[in-house]
Amino acid sequence: MSGLHRWERALGIAAAVLFVGAVLGFGAALPLFDPIGHPVALLGAMGVPHALAFNIVGFALPGLLASLVALCLLLRVPRTAPWSMRVGAQLLMLAGVGFTAMGVLPLDTRDLDSPASQYHASAWMVWVLAFVPGAVMSGIGALRLPAWRAVGALHLACGLGVLLSAFALQVLLPAPLAQRVAFGVWLVWLVAVLPLAPGARRA
């Protein structure tokens, strides 16, 4: 593996470590924070101690790294690949932007109907609604290329996993826990997608 590929592979790992470390670290430092019953966004909400630091480390940086992962993936897509792979990768980049926006637009726990809280919810929806179709479109296209079938299976599994976790799973589990499952599935995609993807762009 070349130095460039090692650097690309580290992007997803770094994003996952930053997010998980921020949730665990800032969660432990916040009195009365329930790691299952409270949403992750509470750690970065307005008025919460160290909220800005969490929003940078937990949302903004992982989101930017996720967009870089998707960009690296896009650059590896063969020029002759189905169009859905290229469009899907662009949507995956947008999902990273949406994740970053959750840190830029923090939740206002004093008024969940305030514009600030609505903006945060909109950023979360951008993340979900960009990642799910992006992963599914990329997966469908990748399955048509023998060298990309493992990537295609990962895309489809993670795309459907985030979809079910973000919406359907909330019927069975508390919403904050279902959201954590969705984040976890996304982190699996971040860590695994570039190591599985063929390294050289082909004509």
Side-chain angles (χ1 to χ4, degrees):
M1 182 182 293
S2 69
L4 177 60
H5 290 162
R6 285 195 295 269
W7 176 80
E8 290 178 346
R9 186 174 185 173
L11 292 174
I13 296 173
V17 169
L18 283 172
F19 177 74
V20 173
V23 172
L24 294 178
F26 286 90
L30 183 63
L32 303 179
F33 179 75
D34 185 346
I36 295 178
H38 289 153
V40 169
L42 179 63
L43 297 171
M46 296 178 181
V48 172
H50 314 297
L52 177 59
F54 174 81
N55 285 327
I56 293 173
V57 178
F59 282 136
L61 291 179
L64 292 174
L65 290 172
S67 291
L68 287 176
V69 168
L71 176 60
C72 292
L73 181 68
L74 176 61
L75 294 176
R76 294 190 191 188
V77 172
R79 293 183 178 89
T80 55
W83 65 269
S84 62
M85 290 181 67
R86 289 183 289 275
V87 175
Q90 293 168 9
L91 287 172
L92 293 171
M93 291 174 60
L94 179 60
V97 174
F99 200 86
T100 293
M102 285 192 276
V104 177
L105 303 169
L107 190 69
D108 184 357
T109 56
R110 296 167 298 182
D111 185 0
L112 295 180
D113 293 323
S114 68
S117 296
Q118 293 176 10
Y119 293 150
H120 180 86
S122 297
W124 184 84
M125 289 299 295
V126 168
W127 170 70
V128 173
L129 296 180
F131 179 79
V132 170
V136 171
M137 291 175 66
S138 296
I140 292 173
L143 288 178
R144 297 173 59 185
L145 304 177
W148 285 78
R149 284 176 182 163
V151 179
L154 176 71
H155 279 314
L156 290 176
C158 291
L160 295 176
V162 169
L163 176 64
L164 292 174
S165 302
F167 298 106
L169 197 59
Q170 295 194 22
V171 177
L172 303 174
L173 299 176
L177 182 56
Q179 186 187 66
R180 281 165 171 76
V181 175
F183 287 151
V185 173
W186 180 66
L187 294 179
V188 169
W189 176 84
L190 273 178
V191 170
V193 65
L194 288 182
L196 287 176
R201 179 170 183 164
R202 297 175 294 173

